Amino acid sequence: MGSRDSMKNIAVLGSTGSIGRSTLEIISHLKDSFQVVGLSAGRNKELLYKQINYFEPEIVSLSHEKDADELKKMTFSHKVKIRYGQEGAEEVAGYSKNDIIISAITGIKGLRPTIAAVRSGKRVGLANKESMVAAGALINKEASKSGAEIIPVDSEHSGVFQCLHKENLQDVNKVILTASGGPFFHLDQRDIKNQSVEDALNHPRWSMGKKISIDSATMMNKGLELIEAKWLFNLPPEKLDALIHPQSIVHSLVEMRDGSVLAQLSLTDMKIPIQFALTYPYRKESALPSLNLSEVGSLDFYEADLNKFPLLRLAFKALRKEQYFSIAFNASNESAVNAFLKREIHFSDIWELVIEVTEETNKMEVKTVEDILNLDQETREKIRDKIRRRY
Ligand code: MG
């Protein structure tokens, strides 16, 4: 990765989302070390326009052609190349001048751009956990072919990565991801069922996008992260676990075979793991205040209740199943969460539908991106179908 002080070119996929905006804040804080060459966004052309003015990237992309045309008119005085669609995001991801690509599109629509980034053989800061869940084997294969270096951006995985930095994998007994427990951790099982969209979005610790906030409320997020960790760190299911830690200060724990437990602690702010993915193996000054543990006071830990959070239970099962199961698990969840956010279903319908559809999915071999996306699509249709029959 060059020297400590050489300038790096960054592409941010999902630049108008929560992780994307935090990444750009870090780049403006560390502007002597990093510059933006590419940005890809979904529909938020107004914010992308502001980002173009401020960061002057060479290439950008939006989801839709119509938005790209309007952006062209807005930026007529800039030299920026404007693309659109999946191909546009892939072009930004594979842009030859990139040194580091931050992959922060939410959901399976980040899969193709993530694979394009990995195929380019550069460093990929991975925040798009759904890609790893649905296509972990394929992404790892592509990375070993191209020489791409995948650095996790998810806070728990960044913590594990930092703990494992100088360790041998065979010395690891267990990797434990912590979970805040989300907004409903303290509620009884039956009181969780009918929570509203507003309550589910109201996360006690992290400020995040909508999809991941709902996933945190169902604890599906921790489930996805366990599967992500399996692929990122090449760990067997029996070495993975989750632990509730409401303060979200300890992000992960790694138990070594000699009884030592390593942990990574930091403020609850995604800018810390994002910055680490950019500067690794070096470290740079943070713009955030120091962690003050006497102010935090106590750090609590609880076992995760799998009866209360059945999607976490299903995730442990998914760890032991073949890839098809994780694809269906992820796709049914994305589809059900969308329906919940549109107020088409109740909160408890999310896990009822996801469990039903995932368990019904027939075992199949998955080899290519097309296989993955076809199964993803079929699974979503099954969810839509079940919702139509329910309501
Ligand atoms: Mg996380």
Side-chain angles (χ1 to χ4, degrees), residues 328-361:
F329 183 41
N330 178 63
S332 54
N333 179 65
E334 273 196 54
S335 180
V337 169
N338 271 333
F340 175 66
L341 285 169
K342 288 188 201 148
R343 294 162 209 273
E344 294 167 2
I345 61 174
H346 296 297
F347 189 56
S348 57
D349 289 327
I350 298 176
W351 57 87
E352 286 174 23
L353 290 164
V354 171
I355 291 167
E356 239 177 82
V357 169
T358 306
E359 296 280 13
E360 278 170 20
T361 304

Side-chain angles (χ1 to χ4, degrees), residues 93 166 172 192 232 240 304 315 319 321:
K166 288 182 176 147
V172 174
I192 296 179
L232 277 172
L240 283 161
L319 284 174
K321 300 282 267 183

Side-chain angles (χ1 to χ4, degrees), residues 129 154-157 212 221-222 225:
K129 64 188 84 183
D154 218 340
S155 59
E156 298 78 0
H157 305 73
I212 184 172
N221 184 50
K222 210 50 51 184
E225 290 182 352

Side-chain angles (χ1 to χ4, degrees), residues 41-309:
R43 304 237 33 193
N44 193 346
K45 58 180 179 298
E46 289 76 21
L47 181 54
L48 183 60
Y49 174 66
K50 285 185 193 157
Q51 293 175 344
I52 292 169
N53 279 329
Y54 188 87
F55 292 99
E56 301 181 328
E58 296 179 14
I59 182 165
V60 302
S61 166
L62 282 161
S63 289
H64 298 286
E65 184 173 11
K66 187 173 153 283
D67 292 329
D69 286 341
E70 282 173 44
L71 187 67
K72 273 180 199 159
K73 286 179 201 140
M74 292 156 79
T75 56
F76 67 92
S77 60
H78 294 256
K79 278 184 297 186
V80 61
K81 298 192 243 299
I82 297 173
R83 304 289 189 257
Y84 62 88
Q86 276 282 314
E87 296 77 15
E90 286 176 67
E91 199 179 333
V92 173
Y95 192 58
S96 62
K97 288 192 191 171
N98 296 342
D99 294 310
I100 305 174
I101 303 100
I102 298 293
S103 169
I105 295 170
T106 298
I108 201 70
K109 61 183 186 299
L111 178 60
R112 280 186 184 280
T114 299
I115 287 179
V118 169
R119 282 185 179 148
S120 73
K122 309 290 177 58
R123 170 177 297 186
V124 181
L126 186 78
N128 174 226
K129 64 188 84 183
E130 294 88 349
S131 282
M132 218 40 172
V133 169
L138 186 77
I139 289 173
N140 284 346
K141 200 171 90 191
E142 292 291 347
S144 63
K145 254 198 261 175
S146 69
E149 179 188 30
I150 299 175
I151 311 283
V153 166
D154 218 340
S155 59
E156 298 78 0
H157 305 73
S158 175
V160 175
F161 186 87
Q162 294 179 57
C163 290
L164 288 179
H165 180 45
K166 288 182 176 147
E167 301 294 342
N168 293 315
L169 214 50
Q170 70 264 27
D171 293 334
V172 174
N173 267 358
K174 201 146 233 175
V175 165
I176 302 160
L177 308 181
T178 64
S180 70
F184 308 138
F185 159 63
H186 58 282
L187 295 183
D188 284 341
Q189 202 173 330
R190 54 161 209 277
D191 294 329
I192 296 179
K193 288 193 169 159
N194 283 310
Q195 294 296 320
S196 68
V197 171
E198 288 70 26
D199 290 329
L201 286 175
N202 189 17
H203 196 276
R205 295 283 162 200
W206 295 96
S207 135
M208 307 178 288
K210 281 185 183 170
K211 197 258 175 183
I212 184 172
S213 296
I214 303 301
D215 285 348
S216 295
T218 60
M219 288 202 71
M220 176 68 176
N221 184 50
K222 210 50 51 184
L224 295 172
E225 290 182 352
L226 286 166
I227 303 169
E228 183 189 6
K230 165 181 150 170
W231 295 111
L232 277 172
F233 305 112
N234 191 21
L235 291 162
E238 62 276 11
K239 289 195 175 182
L240 283 161
D241 212 347
L243 191 62
I244 307 252
H245 168 46
Q247 291 86 1
S248 296
I249 295 292
V250 177
H251 301 295
S252 47
L253 300 138
V254 178
E255 183 195 298
M256 308 307 293
R257 65 172 164 192
D258 62 2
S260 273
V261 178
L262 311 178
Q264 187 266 341
L265 288 73
S266 63
L267 289 177
T268 312
D269 193 312
M270 286 307 294
K271 288 201 254 331
I272 292 173
I274 296 168
Q275 179 171 318
F276 179 79
L278 293 172
T279 64
Y280 172 80
Y282 307 112
R283 294 194 185 261
K284 290 192 188 276
E285 212 67 47
S286 170
L288 298 168
S290 298
L291 169 62
N292 183 335
L293 280 175
S294 66
E295 241 167 52
V296 178
S298 58
L299 301 175
D300 301 319
F301 298 92
Y302 307 91
E303 210 174 311
D305 182 343
L306 300 184
N307 291 323
K308 214 151 97 173
F309 298 106

